[in-house]
Amino acid sequence: MTSLLGHPAGGEGIGYSFSQPTAAPVKQHGFYPYTDNGGSTLGITGSDFAILAGDTRSTSGYNINSRMVPKVFKIGGDDETGEGAHIVLSVVGFAADGNALKERLDAVVKMYKYQHGKPMSVSACAQRLSTILYQKRFFPYYVTAILSGLDEEGKGALYSYDPVGSYEREQCRAAGAAASLIMPFLDNQVNFKNQYIPGSGEGHALEQKKAEPLPQATVEQLVRDAFTSAVERHIEVGDHLQMMIITRDGIQEVFHPLKKD
Amino acid sequence: MDHFPGTWGRPRNDVYGAYDPTYLQTTGPKTHTSSPAVTGTSVIGVKFNGGVVLATDNLASYGSLARFTDVKRLRVFGDNAVVGFGGDVSDMQYIDRLLESIDIRENYSTHGNMLNAKNLHTYLAKVFYKRRSEFNPLWNHVLVAGFDVDGKPFLSSADLLGTTFSAPHLATGFGAHLAVPILRRRFPEEMPIEEITREEAVSALKDCLKVLFYRDARSIDKYSIAVITKEGIDLKEDEQIEGQSWAFAERIRGYGRQTN
């Protein structure tokens, strides 16, 4: 039997349309918990140093939130200034997640020192960071992280991550908004990709130029060049360049101006 | 005779069907704010030599309806910190209650309320971040003004996602588009805040509020302004935008009654 309203009547008599148990579809959240705050980071290592750099612009859409929001942090330092730290972390992507991640890792490295009575090694910190990221595999920290310091032999160490914790040690890595602009430049200038030794052979016999660790002054100039070029072509990158230079003497932090347009 | 009083006066079941009790249900899926209801528009703020100024208008809109025209969106915390709220007004009132309970708790401690604007901003940002991580956001964008530990003027922003940033001048919502360019022209970013006087800062904010009133449809010409200095907070909550000039409106063509 069908009621006047065109619905099949349930049980006895005519039914209201709403007497049917209306299986309401599961409501989707209209709230998106992420945003992109732009910016770019870059890390390069040498034989006895490592450099981690990032611009200081914070954006949302076409707006510039602020010209001075650093993305590179000292991890495991003694106080708010990060004095005494030997590990550096850069985070780019969703800034609120980046801050939460930085504070978590900072607490972990400090706790390690209090509990074991020795500073955490960079390789141990790198593994721990991967675990922290993977623990939020199904609600990730929406950031690309780069961790840097000096390894047990005093060589520059650099670990790069994806948002869910995949990581590897590398010589150099660019991340963030202008990663696709900077990384090919690094491939060519740091790992000497597509550079051949002149007169070493014909065709396929032509020999690749071997990559070797670069001196500190060269790397500093490469970082500055990479960012000045990225600023020209990417609107989310600019304002200031923040550089953390890690050597056996400690961490030196320097700022350089970038274009503000 | 029907012996079940609960069914008396009800439409007959045999005609209209059984009553659907799901309308009285209090259980079911938990719902969260997925869009704000009653909202406040821009908050604007500038640092000057020795303090910070913060301003909002006094309107709480319900969609495009100017629903409440006397809502105070600047809230004082402790001796020299002010929070300016944009976004959902009920969430603002919730946060204000939260801050009040902290203020009361702190005042019972030995040294009184020692929390400064920077502490307050860190706390608010963490509340926002926690709630966004629970998919139950507090739908606000706030500016926090006051002083940091070293007694330097402090101005910083926090929003519903937990995003934070700080600058010599800040604005939320429509103000980010209309007020920030005005403020950046008046007080270039390389200009040290020591060169900005209180009077200049206040008059700049008043001009910004005027431009916002001209062009932000969810704004009103009544506003609140708070000047935070070491001496304390000078909060005025019932101000009127002065020196309005609507002469330009006559020259606007292209819609409305005129045809050419």
Side-chain angles (χ1 to χ4, degrees):
Chain A
M1 181 190 162
T2 307
S3 75
L4 294 168
L5 296 161
H7 293 286
E12 79 271 24
I14 306 161
Y16 265 142
S17 59
F18 52 71
S19 68
Q20 260 68 46
T22 40
V26 177
K27 195 163 182 291
Q28 291 293 305
H29 287 289
F31 173 66
Y32 187 67
Y34 294 114
T35 190
D36 184 3
N37 296 106
S40 240
T41 56
L42 160 59
I44 304 177
T45 60
S47 55
D48 60 350
F49 69 93
I51 295 181
L52 241 191
D55 70 318
T56 63
R57 177 173 289 185
S58 162
T59 64
S60 54
Y62 288 132
N63 281 113
I64 296 172
N65 292 329
S66 173
R67 300 193 191 280
M68 188 43 84
V69 180
K71 292 186 238 306
V72 192
F73 307 100
K74 293 175 187 169
I75 294 295
D78 300 323
D79 55 2
E80 250 183 56
T81 60
E83 200 64 46
H86 64 291
I87 297 173
V88 175
L89 171 76
S90 75
V91 278
V92 66
F94 175 37
D97 273 349
N99 263 317
L101 182 63
K102 173 208 82 181
E103 286 185 13
R104 272 244 264 167
L105 192 68
D106 190 52
V108 162
V109 173
K110 278 175 180 156
M111 287 306 292
Y112 183 100
K113 199 164 123 184
Y114 298 145
Q115 288 177 341
H116 296 87
K118 62 177 184 186
M120 196 175 197
S121 70
V122 181
S123 59
C125 186
Q127 174 58 57
R128 189 69 181 84
L129 178 55
S130 170
T131 313
I132 290 171
L133 287 164
Y134 195 77
Q135 276 174 348
K136 273 173 70 68
R137 174 63 180 80
F138 298 108
F139 184 25
Y141 287 119
Y142 219 134
V143 289
T144 317
I146 302 174
L147 191 78
S148 190
L150 300 177
D151 66 12
E152 276 91 342
E153 296 163 42
K155 291 186 185 135
L158 184 133
Y159 296 86
S160 69
Y161 297 78
D162 81 347
V164 288
S166 308
Y167 80 113
E168 67 176 325
R169 186 172 171 178
E170 291 181 295
Q171 290 308 311
C172 66
R173 170 59 69 184
S180 58
L181 278 67
I182 299 175
M183 204 59 218
F185 171 71
L186 261 33
D187 288 337
N188 183 248
Q189 290 296 307
V190 179
N191 294 323
F192 298 140
K193 292 286 162 62
N194 295 95
Q195 292 200 54
Y196 298 91
I197 297 157
S200 58
E202 288 292 314
H204 289 298
L206 199 61
E207 215 181 308
Q208 272 262 352
K209 191 173 166 188
K210 276 276 281 280
E212 51 190 62
L214 298 167
Q216 190 177 323
T218 313
V219 172
E220 277 180 45
Q221 194 53 51
L222 277 178
V223 171
R224 280 199 291 272
D225 287 348
F227 272 93
T228 39
S229 306
V231 164
E232 289 294 324
R233 288 289 182 174
H234 204 113
I235 57 169
E236 292 176 352
V237 183
D239 296 331
H240 300 277
L241 171 61
Q242 178 200 17
M243 265 166 105
M244 294 273 203
I245 304 162
I246 309 136
T247 59
R248 74 169 75 81
D249 304 322
I251 302 167
Q252 190 199 354
E253 185 178 19
V254 281
F255 285 92
H256 293 287
L258 289 173
K259 281 171 74 168
K260 292 185 169 56
D261 59 0
Chain B
M1 170 78 191
D2 185 349
H3 297 282
F4 298 99
T7 63
W8 293 353
R10 273 213 67 250
R12 285 167 54 183
N13 280 5
D14 55 340
V15 179
Y16 297 102
Y19 182 72
D20 180 6
T22 58
Y23 288 91
L24 294 172
Q25 237 167 263
T26 50
T27 55
K30 197 177 161 202
T31 51
H32 292 153
T33 315
S34 52
S35 65
V38 180
T39 59
T41 181
S42 320
V43 187
I44 51 180
V46 197
K47 286 198 243 185
F48 64 89
N49 187 17
V52 196
V53 215
L54 212 57
T56 63
D57 67 21
N58 290 350
L59 180 67
S61 308
Y62 182 68
S64 54
L65 172 71
R67 183 65 182 81
F68 305 106
T69 55
D70 192 21
V71 174
K72 274 69 185 182
R73 298 199 283 123
L74 294 181
R75 300 296 166 104
V76 173
F77 178 79
D79 295 328
N80 41 22
V82 176
V83 191
F85 287 89
D88 196 281
V89 170
S90 61
D91 286 347
M92 167 184 87
Q93 290 167 341
Y94 167 77
I95 293 168
D96 195 38
R97 262 199 337 266
L98 205 65
L99 296 183
E100 205 172 279
S101 70
I102 291 168
D103 188 43
I104 290 168
R105 193 187 63 204
E106 286 298 307
N107 276 310
Y108 273 110
S109 69
T110 327
H111 300 287
N113 189 352
M114 303 275 282
L115 297 173
N116 57 40
K118 195 180 178 184
N119 302 141
L120 175 63
H121 175 262
T122 310
Y123 175 78
L124 280 176
K126 294 207 170 198
V127 171
F128 281 128
Y129 185 73
K130 177 177 183 286
R131 291 288 295 262
R132 85 99 217 186
S133 299
E134 289 166 352
F135 278 84
N136 187 194
L138 289 165
W139 217 287
N140 298 101
H141 191 164
V142 303
L143 297 188
V144 184
F147 297 96
D148 63 11
V149 228
D150 308 320
K152 285 202 299 250
F154 175 87
L155 175 64
S156 204
S157 144
D159 71 4
L160 68 165
L161 295 174
T163 317
T164 58
F165 45 86
S166 180
H169 27 67
L170 286 172
T172 73
F174 230 88
H177 297 103
L178 293 181
V180 167
I182 298 171
L183 296 170
R184 280 188 184 154
R185 172 158 294 182
R186 274 222 212 160
F187 314 122
E189 264 146 316
E190 54 273 19
M191 182 180 186
I193 62 158
E194 285 75 26
E195 286 176 25
I196 304 167
T197 66
R198 173 182 174 151
E199 289 70 32
E200 283 173 322
V202 169
S203 98
L205 282 203
K206 285 182 179 175
D207 288 352
C208 289
L209 285 167
K210 186 152 67 184
V211 172
L212 283 167
F213 178 55
Y214 284 150
R215 285 294 176 178
D216 179 358
R218 277 92 181 98
S219 69
I220 201 173
D221 55 352
K222 286 200 298 172
Y223 66 93
S224 305
I225 190 162
V227 184
I228 305 116
T229 57
K230 279 284 164 51
E231 282 71 55
I233 300 162
D234 177 19
L235 175 63
K236 294 198 209 83
E237 288 185 316
D238 200 18
E239 301 293 285
Q240 172 77 29
I241 293 177
E242 272 153 17
Q244 291 177 43
S245 166
W246 289 91
F248 73 90
E250 255 177 77
R251 292 190 297 277
I252 295 174
R253 311 242 133 222
Y255 61 91
R257 273 172 50 182
Q258 65 319 92
T259 47
N260 55 354

